[in-house]
Amino acid sequence: MTHRRHDPEVCGVTAAIAVIEGKWKTTLLWQLESGPWRPAELRRRLPGLSEKVLTQALREMEADGLVHREVYDVLPPKTVYSLTDFGRDLAEALGPLSDWGHRRLDRMAGARSVS
């Protein structure tokens, strides 16, 4: 069975969402837009994100070509993650969706204040 992120017969939006689905991937994209980060720094910036989930998300994002993993040959070992050009393209494409989400939140807040 072909996963929907690799299925050429699937809608493009569905294929894109399959790459960013999950609780943390869009947040990680957003963090990595500001520059390279070490995993421990990402965990400190994202309370509630476990080391296991972070590692899994970053590996999936690396496999999808969104992030680059750089391992430095030093002691202790140092690993840094950054966005690839393809990852930056996705982050840029998500900008209008983020704007829409903020407008939705503002609209919901306005509806609650009227009630």
Side-chain angles (χ1 to χ4, degrees):
M1 181 175 138
T2 302
H3 193 279
R4 62 188 177 146
R5 76 175 67 175
H6 303 292
D7 185 353
E9 301 299 318
V10 75
C11 163
V13 173
T14 301
I17 288 172
V19 171
I20 58 170
E21 69 187 340
K23 181 176 180 180
W24 296 103
K25 288 184 181 178
T26 54
T27 305
L28 288 168
L29 273 172
W30 178 65
Q31 287 292 322
L32 290 167
E33 275 187 286
S34 65
W37 291 92
R38 296 179 70 178
E41 295 169 323
L42 288 167
R43 281 197 56 224
R44 278 193 294 277
R45 295 180 66 88
L46 302 171
L49 175 58
S50 71
E51 185 172 348
K52 177 184 175 188
V53 172
L54 173 63
T55 299
Q56 180 181 346
L58 288 170
R59 287 195 177 150
E60 288 174 8
M61 292 169 74
E62 182 181 14
D64 287 327
L66 304 177
V67 299
H68 172 72
R69 179 175 178 255
E70 181 80 27
V71 180
Y72 295 89
D73 190 20
V74 295
L75 288 176
K78 177 181 174 183
T79 303
V80 176
Y81 287 89
S82 59
L83 286 183
T84 62
D85 289 341
F86 195 54
R88 288 196 183 287
D89 288 347
L90 176 59
E92 185 176 318
L94 290 173
L97 183 60
S98 175
D99 294 342
W100 182 89
H102 285 288
R103 287 193 309 272
R104 178 183 176 270
L105 292 172
D106 291 344
R107 185 176 179 178
M108 289 171 52
R112 276 195 298 270
S113 66
V114 171
S115 302

